[in-house]
Amino acid sequence: MALDKNGIAKRIAQELRDGWYVNLGIGIPTLVANYIPEGIEVEFQSENGILGMGPFPFEGEEDADLINAGKQTITARKGAVYFDSATSFAMIRGQHVQLTVLGAMEVSQDGDIANWKIPGKMVKGMGGAMDLVASAENIIVAMMHTNPKGESKILKKCSLPLTGVKCVKKIVTDLAVLEVKDGKFHLVERAPGVSVEEIVSKTEGELIVPDVVPEMILD
Amino acid sequence: MNKVVKNVEEALAGVQDGMTLMVGGFGLCGIPENSIAQLVKMGVKNLTCISNNAGVDDFGLGLLLQGKQIKKMISSYVGENAEFERQMLSGELEVELIPQGTLAERCRAGGAGIPAFFTPAGYGTEVAEGKEVRVFNGKPHILEEALTADFAIVKAWKGDTEGNLIFKATARNFNPMMAMAGKITIAEVEELVPAGELDPNFIHTPGIFVQRIFKGEKFEKRIEQRTTRKRD
């Protein structure tokens, strides 16, 4: 059965490696911080100027001066550091962050991503997304496979204004883990109980399906 | 050097209709609250505001939007403000949305005498329209120009009479770069101390960038999303 957003976050968290600096976008990506595998240490960078982002504070201990990119109150871990926005994006653009996780409205088989604008309807702005996708060596997209109308978001070509071009390599959806290679999607894993047929039917882009598609292993 | 001004009225003296202002802050974190309130009071209009966000409907720059005092916003994300989105979609408000890292670097460059620079952010998107593209290390980059402002209004935690500033936690964000890029920089601080009290090793923004400094009368420090976790 399809994963919920925590399931997606849990699967993505399996990609974390010890010693990595990681940037988590707003929405589903922030949940990845709740599922860090045992025995590994990662440090979370938040674009608004903190390295060593910690969990939400206890009630009554919220600090208005300490927030994350989604404007939520957070805490700082031991060894954390604060810096300004130019320094923050130097870390990002200068490829000092090993993994970026962000959401998407659409991804294309060329690796293009659209996640900031629906013309005439929703123009919230791109925030740090364009810097992140243009610079990151390792990007994982967390998204639902289809939109609320049931239309595929995994496409031949994006219809929405782009955030970045040819930059996505790995996607985790509520149904599957996909890789983007040589201008096509490749099915790597399916969510527990989800059939290959369902994934194929909900993928508008070209999808290469191996003979055996293993299920994701989530505790 | 004594950069101290008596109050917010003196601090904002000279801000006029049609000017370009840089306003520090990320969301509602690190915004110069007292200066924004003063701008509302002064009624200056047709402003171009360079700020990462537009506040919320009833706080931060949202107050200037409510009063229709802003003609153009240059920001990276305006999702928290419904009035902003409405004014933008209806055409009442001119908006330039630019990538956050590009915004930060354009302000830094403006203060640092770097007229333009290349960045990979936005290549292949509408942000790149009309901009020169050059390939470096096999990767395309777009040319972005520096930003400066008639006035930069920043918020700091502590400042001294020389204008040296220290920021707190994530309230730092855009303030240091905007402080560099304003023709006249106004710094609003929580604690104002005599020169010599701040350790020179730990100052974040040197006073050379700051022309006026004053102690803000009060800081509401509103929290946009109060998220907490349970004790075990």
Side-chain angles (χ1 to χ4, degrees), chain A residues 47 56-57 61-62 65-67 70-73 82 85 89 93 117 123-124 126-127 131 134 162, chain B residues 76-78 80 88 97 100-101 121 125-126 139 168-170 172-173 221 225-229 231:
Chain A
E47 68 193 18
F56 296 150
E61 292 177 8
E62 308 93 354
D65 290 328
L66 185 48
I67 62 170
K71 323 248 175 18
Q72 302 169 310
T73 46
Y82 304 116
S85 302
F89 283 90
R93 220 186 293 104
K117 181 177 179 178
V123 193
K124 294 192 190 288
M126 69 291 276
D131 296 273
L162 297 179
Chain B
S76 84
Y77 189 81
V78 297
E80 272 81 34
M88 175 173 60
L97 286 168
Q100 197 182 146
T125 76
E126 55 187 66
K139 196 167 148 191
K168 183 145 165 273
T170 58
R172 193 185 313 197
N173 58 70
K221 288 207 190 176
Q225 289 190 53
R226 191 175 297 269
T227 43
T228 56
R229 74 187 197 277
R231 287 178 203 272

mmCIF file of all heavy atoms in Angstrom, chain A residues 47 56-57 61-62 65-67 70-73 82 85 89 93 117 123-124 126-127 131 134 162, chain B residues 76-78 80 88 97 100-101 121 125-126 139 168-170 172-173 221 225-229 231:
data_model
loop_
_atom_site.group_PDB
_atom_site.id
_atom_site.type_symbol
_atom_site.label_atom_id
_atom_site.label_comp_id
_atom_site.label_asym_id
_atom_site.label_seq_id
_atom_site.Cartn_x
_atom_site.Cartn_y
_atom_site.Cartn_z
ATOM 1 N N GLU A 47 18.982 26.760 5.380
ATOM 2 C CA GLU A 47 19.436 27.858 4.518
ATOM 3 C C GLU A 47 19.379 29.228 5.181
ATOM 4 O O GLU A 47 20.076 30.143 4.757
ATOM 5 C CB GLU A 47 18.601 27.892 3.237
ATOM 6 C CG GLU A 47 17.157 28.285 3.515
ATOM 7 C CD GLU A 47 16.216 28.035 2.343
ATOM 8 O OE1 GLU A 47 16.562 27.264 1.442
ATOM 9 O OE2 GLU A 47 15.136 28.630 2.367
ATOM 10 N N PHE A 56 12.454 20.181 17.288
ATOM 11 C CA PHE A 56 11.602 21.248 17.822
ATOM 12 C C PHE A 56 11.843 21.361 19.323
ATOM 13 O O PHE A 56 12.140 20.377 19.989
ATOM 14 C CB PHE A 56 10.121 20.928 17.576
ATOM 15 C CG PHE A 56 9.719 20.874 16.129
ATOM 16 C CD1 PHE A 56 8.679 20.045 15.722
ATOM 17 C CD2 PHE A 56 10.355 21.646 15.164
ATOM 18 C CE1 PHE A 56 8.279 19.986 14.386
ATOM 19 C CE2 PHE A 56 9.975 21.588 13.834
ATOM 20 C CZ PHE A 56 8.926 20.748 13.448
ATOM 21 N N PRO A 57 11.713 22.571 19.882
ATOM 22 C CA PRO A 57 11.924 22.755 21.317
ATOM 23 C C PRO A 57 10.759 22.186 22.135
ATOM 24 O O PRO A 57 9.685 21.921 21.599
ATOM 25 C CB PRO A 57 11.976 24.284 21.465
ATOM 26 C CG PRO A 57 11.191 24.811 20.311
ATOM 27 C CD PRO A 57 11.397 23.835 19.178
ATOM 28 N N GLU A 61 9.822 26.627 25.580
ATOM 29 C CA GLU A 61 11.228 26.962 25.332
ATOM 30 C C GLU A 61 11.467 27.469 23.919
ATOM 31 O O GLU A 61 12.595 27.503 23.449
ATOM 32 C CB GLU A 61 12.105 25.727 25.627
ATOM 33 C CG GLU A 61 12.120 25.400 27.122
ATOM 34 C CD GLU A 61 12.911 24.144 27.459
ATOM 35 O OE1 GLU A 61 13.585 23.604 26.567
ATOM 36 O OE2 GLU A 61 12.841 23.716 28.636
ATOM 37 N N GLU A 62 10.400 27.859 23.242
ATOM 38 C CA GLU A 62 10.557 28.357 21.877
ATOM 39 C C GLU A 62 11.318 29.683 21.880
ATOM 40 O O GLU A 62 11.084 30.536 22.733
ATOM 41 C CB GLU A 62 9.188 28.588 21.210
ATOM 42 C CG GLU A 62 8.235 27.406 21.261
ATOM 43 C CD GLU A 62 7.300 27.449 22.451
ATOM 44 O OE1 GLU A 62 7.460 28.351 23.310
ATOM 45 O OE2 GLU A 62 6.413 26.600 22.553
ATOM 46 N N ASP A 65 14.118 33.788 17.804
ATOM 47 C CA ASP A 65 15.306 34.049 16.986
ATOM 48 C C ASP A 65 15.903 32.766 16.418
ATOM 49 O O ASP A 65 16.946 32.807 15.758
ATOM 50 C CB ASP A 65 16.373 34.780 17.813
ATOM 51 C CG ASP A 65 15.971 36.211 18.137
ATOM 52 O OD1 ASP A 65 15.271 36.836 17.319
ATOM 53 O OD2 ASP A 65 16.359 36.705 19.212
ATOM 54 N N LEU A 66 15.285 31.640 16.678
ATOM 55 C CA LEU A 66 15.848 30.361 16.255
ATOM 56 C C LEU A 66 14.809 29.556 15.482
ATOM 57 O O LEU A 66 13.985 28.841 16.058
ATOM 58 C CB LEU A 66 16.349 29.591 17.485
ATOM 59 C CG LEU A 66 17.093 28.273 17.256
ATOM 60 C CD1 LEU A 66 18.178 28.407 16.203
ATOM 61 C CD2 LEU A 66 17.694 27.794 18.568
ATOM 62 N N ILE A 67 14.838 29.709 14.172
ATOM 63 C CA ILE A 67 13.850 29.045 13.314
ATOM 64 C C ILE A 67 14.550 28.357 12.147
ATOM 65 O O ILE A 67 15.729 28.596 11.892
ATOM 66 C CB ILE A 67 12.806 30.047 12.762
ATOM 67 C CG1 ILE A 67 13.476 31.114 11.876
ATOM 68 C CG2 ILE A 67 12.015 30.679 13.890
ATOM 69 C CD1 ILE A 67 12.477 31.989 11.115
ATOM 70 N N GLY A 70 11.494 26.710 7.089
ATOM 71 C CA GLY A 70 10.039 26.734 7.020
ATOM 72 C C GLY A 70 9.422 27.655 8.062
ATOM 73 O O GLY A 70 8.206 27.663 8.246
ATOM 74 N N LYS A 71 10.267 28.441 8.747
ATOM 75 C CA LYS A 71 9.849 29.419 9.752
ATOM 76 C C LYS A 71 9.267 28.759 11.007
ATOM 77 O O LYS A 71 8.469 29.353 11.730
ATOM 78 C CB LYS A 71 8.851 30.440 9.167
ATOM 79 C CG LYS A 71 9.181 30.808 7.710
ATOM 80 C CD LYS A 71 9.624 32.188 7.509
ATOM 81 C CE LYS A 71 10.082 32.601 6.130
ATOM 82 N NZ LYS A 71 9.778 31.878 4.944
ATOM 83 N N GLN A 72 9.694 27.485 11.247
ATOM 84 C CA GLN A 72 9.251 26.802 12.459
ATOM 85 C C GLN A 72 10.315 26.968 13.537
ATOM 86 O O GLN A 72 11.518 27.018 13.234
ATOM 87 C CB GLN A 72 9.103 25.296 12.176
ATOM 88 C CG GLN A 72 8.139 24.954 11.054
ATOM 89 C CD GLN A 72 8.239 23.499 10.660
ATOM 90 O OE1 GLN A 72 9.328 22.985 10.415
ATOM 91 N NE2 GLN A 72 7.113 22.821 10.603
ATOM 92 N N THR A 73 9.882 27.014 14.815
ATOM 93 C CA THR A 73 10.865 27.125 15.901
ATOM 94 C C THR A 73 11.616 25.800 16.025
ATOM 95 O O THR A 73 11.033 24.727 15.918
ATOM 96 C CB THR A 73 10.178 27.457 17.237
ATOM 97 O OG1 THR A 73 9.023 26.605 17.407
ATOM 98 C CG2 THR A 73 9.710 28.899 17.268
ATOM 99 N N TYR A 82 25.913 29.550 13.833
ATOM 100 C CA TYR A 82 25.040 30.463 13.100
ATOM 101 C C TYR A 82 25.863 31.304 12.135
ATOM 102 O O TYR A 82 27.019 31.623 12.406
ATOM 103 C CB TYR A 82 24.314 31.405 14.055
ATOM 104 C CG TYR A 82 23.509 30.707 15.129
ATOM 105 C CD1 TYR A 82 23.842 30.856 16.471
ATOM 106 C CD2 TYR A 82 22.428 29.902 14.795
ATOM 107 C CE1 TYR A 82 23.108 30.230 17.466
ATOM 108 C CE2 TYR A 82 21.688 29.261 15.790
ATOM 109 C CZ TYR A 82 22.033 29.423 17.117
ATOM 110 O OH TYR A 82 21.309 28.792 18.089
ATOM 111 N N SER A 85 23.171 34.771 5.504
ATOM 112 C CA SER A 85 22.616 34.122 4.317
ATOM 113 C C SER A 85 23.620 33.976 3.181
ATOM 114 O O SER A 85 23.572 32.998 2.433
ATOM 115 C CB SER A 85 21.387 34.891 3.833
ATOM 116 O OG SER A 85 20.425 34.965 4.865
ATOM 117 N N PHE A 89 24.520 30.269 1.599
ATOM 118 C CA PHE A 89 24.444 29.844 0.206
ATOM 119 C C PHE A 89 25.812 29.583 -0.394
ATOM 120 O O PHE A 89 25.929 28.892 -1.404
ATOM 121 C CB PHE A 89 23.574 30.812 -0.610
ATOM 122 C CG PHE A 89 22.113 30.570 -0.350
ATOM 123 C CD1 PHE A 89 21.452 31.237 0.677
ATOM 124 C CD2 PHE A 89 21.434 29.606 -1.067
ATOM 125 C CE1 PHE A 89 20.119 30.951 0.976
ATOM 126 C CE2 PHE A 89 20.096 29.319 -0.793
ATOM 127 C CZ PHE A 89 19.441 29.991 0.229
ATOM 128 N N ARG A 93 25.990 26.503 -2.616
ATOM 129 C CA ARG A 93 26.470 26.668 -3.992
ATOM 130 C C ARG A 93 27.885 26.125 -4.157
ATOM 131 O O ARG A 93 28.267 25.651 -5.224
ATOM 132 C CB ARG A 93 26.455 28.164 -4.351
ATOM 133 C CG ARG A 93 25.997 28.493 -5.752
ATOM 134 C CD ARG A 93 26.162 29.959 -6.054
ATOM 135 N NE ARG A 93 25.292 30.836 -5.283
ATOM 136 C CZ ARG A 93 25.683 31.578 -4.242
ATOM 137 N NH1 ARG A 93 26.927 31.521 -3.813
ATOM 138 N NH2 ARG A 93 24.825 32.372 -3.630
ATOM 139 N N LYS A 117 6.024 27.255 -8.723
ATOM 140 C CA LYS A 117 5.032 28.183 -9.262
ATOM 141 C C LYS A 117 3.964 27.446 -10.061
ATOM 142 O O LYS A 117 4.282 26.561 -10.860
ATOM 143 C CB LYS A 117 5.770 29.170 -10.171
ATOM 144 C CG LYS A 117 4.930 30.247 -10.810
ATOM 145 C CD LYS A 117 5.840 31.181 -11.610
ATOM 146 C CE LYS A 117 5.053 32.276 -12.306
ATOM 147 N NZ LYS A 117 5.934 33.198 -13.036
ATOM 148 N N VAL A 123 1.975 31.529 -6.670
ATOM 149 C CA VAL A 123 3.311 32.025 -6.967
ATOM 150 C C VAL A 123 3.967 32.409 -5.657
ATOM 151 O O VAL A 123 4.121 33.586 -5.364
ATOM 152 C CB VAL A 123 3.243 33.238 -7.914
ATOM 153 C CG1 VAL A 123 4.618 33.531 -8.464
ATOM 154 C CG2 VAL A 123 2.275 32.975 -9.043
ATOM 155 N N LYS A 124 4.324 31.418 -4.872
ATOM 156 C CA LYS A 124 4.901 31.746 -3.571
ATOM 157 C C LYS A 124 6.361 32.172 -3.676
ATOM 158 O O LYS A 124 6.878 32.859 -2.831
ATOM 159 C CB LYS A 124 4.771 30.546 -2.631
ATOM 160 C CG LYS A 124 3.302 30.248 -2.301
ATOM 161 C CD LYS A 124 3.172 29.277 -1.156
ATOM 162 C CE LYS A 124 1.754 28.803 -0.997
ATOM 163 N NZ LYS A 124 0.860 29.857 -0.463
ATOM 164 N N MET A 126 10.513 30.932 -5.176
ATOM 165 C CA MET A 126 11.404 29.767 -5.198
ATOM 166 C C MET A 126 12.254 29.637 -3.947
ATOM 167 O O MET A 126 12.848 28.591 -3.714
ATOM 168 C CB MET A 126 12.302 29.781 -6.453
ATOM 169 C CG MET A 126 13.359 30.886 -6.463
ATOM 170 S SD MET A 126 12.672 32.541 -6.633
ATOM 171 C CE MET A 126 12.491 32.664 -8.406
ATOM 172 N N GLY A 127 12.364 30.653 -3.127
ATOM 173 C CA GLY A 127 13.216 30.552 -1.940
ATOM 174 C C GLY A 127 14.595 30.076 -2.330
ATOM 175 O O GLY A 127 15.170 30.563 -3.296
ATOM 176 N N ASP A 131 18.899 27.566 -5.977
ATOM 177 C CA ASP A 131 20.313 27.450 -5.602
ATOM 178 C C ASP A 131 20.638 26.002 -5.250
ATOM 179 O O ASP A 131 21.665 25.461 -5.663
ATOM 180 C CB ASP A 131 20.630 28.335 -4.392
ATOM 181 C CG ASP A 131 20.453 29.806 -4.681
ATOM 182 O OD1 ASP A 131 21.426 30.426 -5.163
ATOM 183 O OD2 ASP A 131 19.354 30.335 -4.431
ATOM 184 N N ALA A 134 20.617 23.676 -8.389
ATOM 185 C CA ALA A 134 21.657 24.010 -9.370
ATOM 186 C C ALA A 134 23.049 23.594 -8.889
ATOM 187 O O ALA A 134 23.959 23.415 -9.684
ATOM 188 C CB ALA A 134 21.644 25.501 -9.659
ATOM 189 N N LEU A 162 10.027 25.805 -14.465
ATOM 190 C CA LEU A 162 11.084 24.991 -13.877
ATOM 191 C C LEU A 162 11.817 25.663 -12.717
ATOM 192 O O LEU A 162 11.973 26.886 -12.674
ATOM 193 C CB LEU A 162 12.111 24.626 -14.955
ATOM 194 C CG LEU A 162 11.598 23.768 -16.112
ATOM 195 C CD1 LEU A 162 12.738 23.510 -17.097
ATOM 196 C CD2 LEU A 162 11.023 22.461 -15.609
ATOM 197 N N SER B 76 12.493 36.456 -2.305
ATOM 198 C CA SER B 76 12.650 35.093 -2.806
ATOM 199 C C SER B 76 11.438 34.221 -2.483
ATOM 200 O O SER B 76 11.203 33.218 -3.139
ATOM 201 C CB SER B 76 13.918 34.442 -2.237
ATOM 202 O OG SER B 76 13.680 33.886 -0.957
ATOM 203 N N TYR B 77 10.678 34.615 -1.466
ATOM 204 C CA TYR B 77 9.539 33.779 -1.078
ATOM 205 C C TYR B 77 8.491 34.618 -0.384
ATOM 206 O O TYR B 77 8.804 35.341 0.558
ATOM 207 C CB TYR B 77 10.022 32.662 -0.150
ATOM 208 C CG TYR B 77 8.970 31.614 0.129
ATOM 209 C CD1 TYR B 77 8.716 30.598 -0.785
ATOM 210 C CD2 TYR B 77 8.221 31.656 1.300
ATOM 211 C CE1 TYR B 77 7.758 29.640 -0.540
ATOM 212 C CE2 TYR B 77 7.259 30.696 1.548
ATOM 213 C CZ TYR B 77 7.029 29.685 0.626
ATOM 214 O OH TYR B 77 6.068 28.729 0.864
ATOM 215 N N VAL B 78 7.264 34.523 -0.855
ATOM 216 C CA VAL B 78 6.223 35.381 -0.307
ATOM 217 C C VAL B 78 5.023 34.556 0.124
ATOM 218 O O VAL B 78 3.905 35.042 0.194
ATOM 219 C CB VAL B 78 5.819 36.454 -1.330
ATOM 220 C CG1 VAL B 78 6.994 37.350 -1.638
ATOM 221 C CG2 VAL B 78 5.314 35.803 -2.611
ATOM 222 N N GLU B 80 3.957 33.328 2.877
ATOM 223 C CA GLU B 80 3.263 33.481 4.162
ATOM 224 C C GLU B 80 2.279 34.632 4.199
ATOM 225 O O GLU B 80 1.675 34.907 5.220
ATOM 226 C CB GLU B 80 4.283 33.701 5.290
ATOM 227 C CG GLU B 80 4.780 32.407 5.890
ATOM 228 C CD GLU B 80 5.854 31.795 5.045
ATOM 229 O OE1 GLU B 80 6.630 32.545 4.440
ATOM 230 O OE2 GLU B 80 5.920 30.548 4.968
ATOM 231 N N MET B 88 -0.109 40.680 -5.912
ATOM 232 C CA MET B 88 0.774 40.292 -7.015
ATOM 233 C C MET B 88 -0.011 39.696 -8.169
ATOM 234 O O MET B 88 0.167 40.070 -9.319
ATOM 235 C CB MET B 88 1.799 39.277 -6.506
ATOM 236 C CG MET B 88 2.687 38.716 -7.598
ATOM 237 S SD MET B 88 3.984 37.684 -6.931
ATOM 238 C CE MET B 88 3.041 36.441 -6.110
ATOM 239 N N LEU B 97 10.750 37.935 -8.198
ATOM 240 C CA LEU B 97 11.115 36.828 -7.316
ATOM 241 C C LEU B 97 12.481 36.334 -7.745
ATOM 242 O O LEU B 97 12.676 35.976 -8.904
ATOM 243 C CB LEU B 97 10.085 35.706 -7.433
ATOM 244 C CG LEU B 97 8.742 35.995 -6.745
ATOM 245 C CD1 LEU B 97 7.693 34.979 -7.151
ATOM 246 C CD2 LEU B 97 8.910 36.013 -5.236
ATOM 247 N N GLN B 100 16.940 32.773 -3.418
ATOM 248 C CA GLN B 100 17.413 33.294 -2.146
ATOM 249 C C GLN B 100 18.937 33.483 -2.097
ATOM 250 O O GLN B 100 19.428 34.487 -1.591
ATOM 251 C CB GLN B 100 16.984 32.354 -1.006
ATOM 252 C CG GLN B 100 17.072 33.028 0.341
ATOM 253 C CD GLN B 100 16.693 32.083 1.464
ATOM 254 O OE1 GLN B 100 17.235 32.171 2.545
ATOM 255 N NE2 GLN B 100 15.764 31.184 1.224
ATOM 256 N N GLY B 101 19.649 32.506 -2.613
ATOM 257 C CA GLY B 101 21.115 32.619 -2.613
ATOM 258 C C GLY B 101 21.589 33.753 -3.507
ATOM 259 O O GLY B 101 22.551 34.461 -3.196
ATOM 260 N N ALA B 121 22.519 29.202 -10.212
ATOM 261 C CA ALA B 121 21.122 29.174 -9.769
ATOM 262 C C ALA B 121 20.192 29.853 -10.763
ATOM 263 O O ALA B 121 20.404 30.995 -11.137
ATOM 264 C CB ALA B 121 20.998 29.841 -8.401
ATOM 265 N N THR B 125 15.699 28.311 -16.229
ATOM 266 C CA THR B 125 14.373 28.684 -15.719
ATOM 267 C C THR B 125 14.046 30.108 -16.151
ATOM 268 O O THR B 125 14.878 30.781 -16.767
ATOM 269 C CB THR B 125 14.339 28.628 -14.178
ATOM 270 O OG1 THR B 125 15.026 29.769 -13.649
ATOM 271 C CG2 THR B 125 14.996 27.359 -13.642
ATOM 272 N N GLU B 126 12.851 30.593 -15.788
ATOM 273 C CA GLU B 126 12.480 31.942 -16.207
ATOM 274 C C GLU B 126 13.357 33.012 -15.555
ATOM 275 O O GLU B 126 13.448 34.134 -16.049
ATOM 276 C CB GLU B 126 11.000 32.229 -15.948
ATOM 277 C CG GLU B 126 10.557 32.022 -14.532
ATOM 278 C CD GLU B 126 9.029 32.161 -14.411
ATOM 279 O OE1 GLU B 126 8.306 31.324 -14.968
ATOM 280 O OE2 GLU B 126 8.598 33.123 -13.760
ATOM 281 N N LYS B 139 29.717 23.856 -16.907
ATOM 282 C CA LYS B 139 28.367 24.068 -16.396
ATOM 283 C C LYS B 139 27.920 25.499 -16.694
ATOM 284 O O LYS B 139 28.668 26.439 -16.477
ATOM 285 C CB LYS B 139 28.421 23.849 -14.886
ATOM 286 C CG LYS B 139 27.108 23.658 -14.205
ATOM 287 C CD LYS B 139 27.339 23.139 -12.789
ATOM 288 C CE LYS B 139 26.250 23.655 -11.874
ATOM 289 N NZ LYS B 139 26.548 23.424 -10.464
ATOM 290 N N LYS B 168 21.862 37.640 16.683
ATOM 291 C CA LYS B 168 21.561 36.474 17.505
ATOM 292 C C LYS B 168 20.958 35.363 16.653
ATOM 293 O O LYS B 168 19.985 35.582 15.914
ATOM 294 C CB LYS B 168 20.572 36.856 18.608
ATOM 295 C CG LYS B 168 20.233 35.745 19.583
ATOM 296 C CD LYS B 168 20.014 36.317 20.983
ATOM 297 C CE LYS B 168 19.334 35.325 21.895
ATOM 298 N NZ LYS B 168 17.867 35.372 21.805
ATOM 299 N N ALA B 169 21.545 34.183 16.794
ATOM 300 C CA ALA B 169 21.018 32.955 16.173
ATOM 301 C C ALA B 169 20.606 33.188 14.723
ATOM 302 O O ALA B 169 21.345 33.783 13.945
ATOM 303 C CB ALA B 169 19.871 32.394 17.019
ATOM 304 N N THR B 170 19.405 32.732 14.365
ATOM 305 C CA THR B 170 18.995 32.830 12.968
ATOM 306 C C THR B 170 18.351 34.180 12.652
ATOM 307 O O THR B 170 17.831 34.374 11.550
ATOM 308 C CB THR B 170 18.044 31.680 12.590
ATOM 309 O OG1 THR B 170 16.911 31.710 13.454
ATOM 310 C CG2 THR B 170 18.739 30.340 12.701
ATOM 311 N N ARG B 172 20.135 36.586 12.246
ATOM 312 C CA ARG B 172 21.210 37.229 11.485
ATOM 313 C C ARG B 172 20.811 37.340 10.011
ATOM 314 O O ARG B 172 20.673 38.430 9.479
ATOM 315 C CB ARG B 172 22.519 36.443 11.639
ATOM 316 C CG ARG B 172 23.713 37.237 11.139
ATOM 317 C CD ARG B 172 25.016 36.481 11.140
ATOM 318 N NE ARG B 172 25.348 35.740 12.339
ATOM 319 C CZ ARG B 172 26.587 35.315 12.615
ATOM 320 N NH1 ARG B 172 27.573 35.606 11.805
ATOM 321 N NH2 ARG B 172 26.820 34.603 13.692
ATOM 322 N N ASN B 173 20.669 36.208 9.374
ATOM 323 C CA ASN B 173 20.208 36.025 7.974
ATOM 324 C C ASN B 173 20.672 37.124 7.013
ATOM 325 O O ASN B 173 21.846 37.219 6.691
ATOM 326 C CB ASN B 173 18.701 35.740 7.934
ATOM 327 C CG ASN B 173 17.813 36.814 8.575
ATOM 328 O OD1 ASN B 173 17.670 37.918 8.049
ATOM 329 N ND2 ASN B 173 17.201 36.518 9.714
ATOM 330 N N LYS B 221 8.803 40.302 18.526
ATOM 331 C CA LYS B 221 9.413 39.022 18.134
ATOM 332 C C LYS B 221 8.360 37.945 17.938
ATOM 333 O O LYS B 221 8.363 36.916 18.610
ATOM 334 C CB LYS B 221 10.418 38.582 19.194
ATOM 335 C CG LYS B 221 11.685 39.410 19.213
ATOM 336 C CD LYS B 221 12.821 38.569 19.747
ATOM 337 C CE LYS B 221 14.036 39.372 20.022
ATOM 338 N NZ LYS B 221 15.104 38.557 20.626
ATOM 339 N N GLN B 225 5.572 30.074 13.246
ATOM 340 C CA GLN B 225 5.087 28.712 13.493
ATOM 341 C C GLN B 225 5.728 28.169 14.759
ATOM 342 O O GLN B 225 6.886 27.788 14.774
ATOM 343 C CB GLN B 225 5.461 27.816 12.322
ATOM 344 C CG GLN B 225 4.659 28.131 11.077
ATOM 345 C CD GLN B 225 4.878 27.079 10.030
ATOM 346 O OE1 GLN B 225 4.707 25.894 10.304
ATOM 347 N NE2 GLN B 225 5.270 27.497 8.851
ATOM 348 N N ARG B 226 4.931 28.136 15.793
ATOM 349 C CA ARG B 226 5.422 27.687 17.089
ATOM 350 C C ARG B 226 5.345 26.159 17.104
ATOM 351 O O ARG B 226 4.317 25.591 17.412
ATOM 352 C CB ARG B 226 4.545 28.284 18.189
ATOM 353 C CG ARG B 226 5.064 28.122 19.596
ATOM 354 C CD ARG B 226 4.160 28.855 20.583
ATOM 355 N NE ARG B 226 4.139 30.283 20.348
ATOM 356 C CZ ARG B 226 4.968 31.157 20.929
ATOM 357 N NH1 ARG B 226 5.868 30.727 21.781
ATOM 358 N NH2 ARG B 226 4.860 32.444 20.662
ATOM 359 N N THR B 227 6.438 25.486 16.746
ATOM 360 C CA THR B 227 6.451 24.019 16.703
ATOM 361 C C THR B 227 7.234 23.500 17.897
ATOM 362 O O THR B 227 8.313 23.989 18.208
ATOM 363 C CB THR B 227 7.115 23.523 15.405
ATOM 364 O OG1 THR B 227 8.274 24.300 15.152
ATOM 365 C CG2 THR B 227 6.169 23.649 14.223
ATOM 366 N N THR B 228 6.678 22.475 18.556
ATOM 367 C CA THR B 228 7.306 21.934 19.763
ATOM 368 C C THR B 228 7.277 20.408 19.737
ATOM 369 O O THR B 228 6.588 19.804 18.911
ATOM 370 C CB THR B 228 6.550 22.385 21.029
ATOM 371 O OG1 THR B 228 5.179 21.997 20.893
ATOM 372 C CG2 THR B 228 6.623 23.889 21.221
ATOM 373 N N ARG B 229 8.051 19.811 20.667
ATOM 374 C CA ARG B 229 7.987 18.360 20.801
ATOM 375 C C ARG B 229 7.645 18.026 22.253
ATOM 376 O O ARG B 229 7.881 18.834 23.149
ATOM 377 C CB ARG B 229 9.318 17.715 20.401
ATOM 378 C CG ARG B 229 10.461 17.863 21.396
ATOM 379 C CD ARG B 229 11.739 17.313 20.777
ATOM 380 N NE ARG B 229 12.805 17.041 21.706
ATOM 381 C CZ ARG B 229 13.680 17.919 22.177
ATOM 382 N NH1 ARG B 229 13.556 19.191 21.842
ATOM 383 N NH2 ARG B 229 14.652 17.551 22.994
ATOM 384 N N ARG B 231 7.879 16.221 25.880
ATOM 385 C CA ARG B 231 8.880 15.641 26.782
ATOM 386 C C ARG B 231 8.548 14.159 26.937
ATOM 387 O O ARG B 231 7.400 13.770 26.981
ATOM 388 C CB ARG B 231 8.813 16.300 28.166
ATOM 389 C CG ARG B 231 9.371 17.692 28.171
ATOM 390 C CD ARG B 231 9.243 18.348 29.547
ATOM 391 N NE ARG B 231 9.261 19.799 29.399
ATOM 392 C CZ ARG B 231 10.371 20.535 29.383
ATOM 393 N NH1 ARG B 231 11.551 19.963 29.516
ATOM 394 N NH2 ARG B 231 10.314 21.849 29.234
#
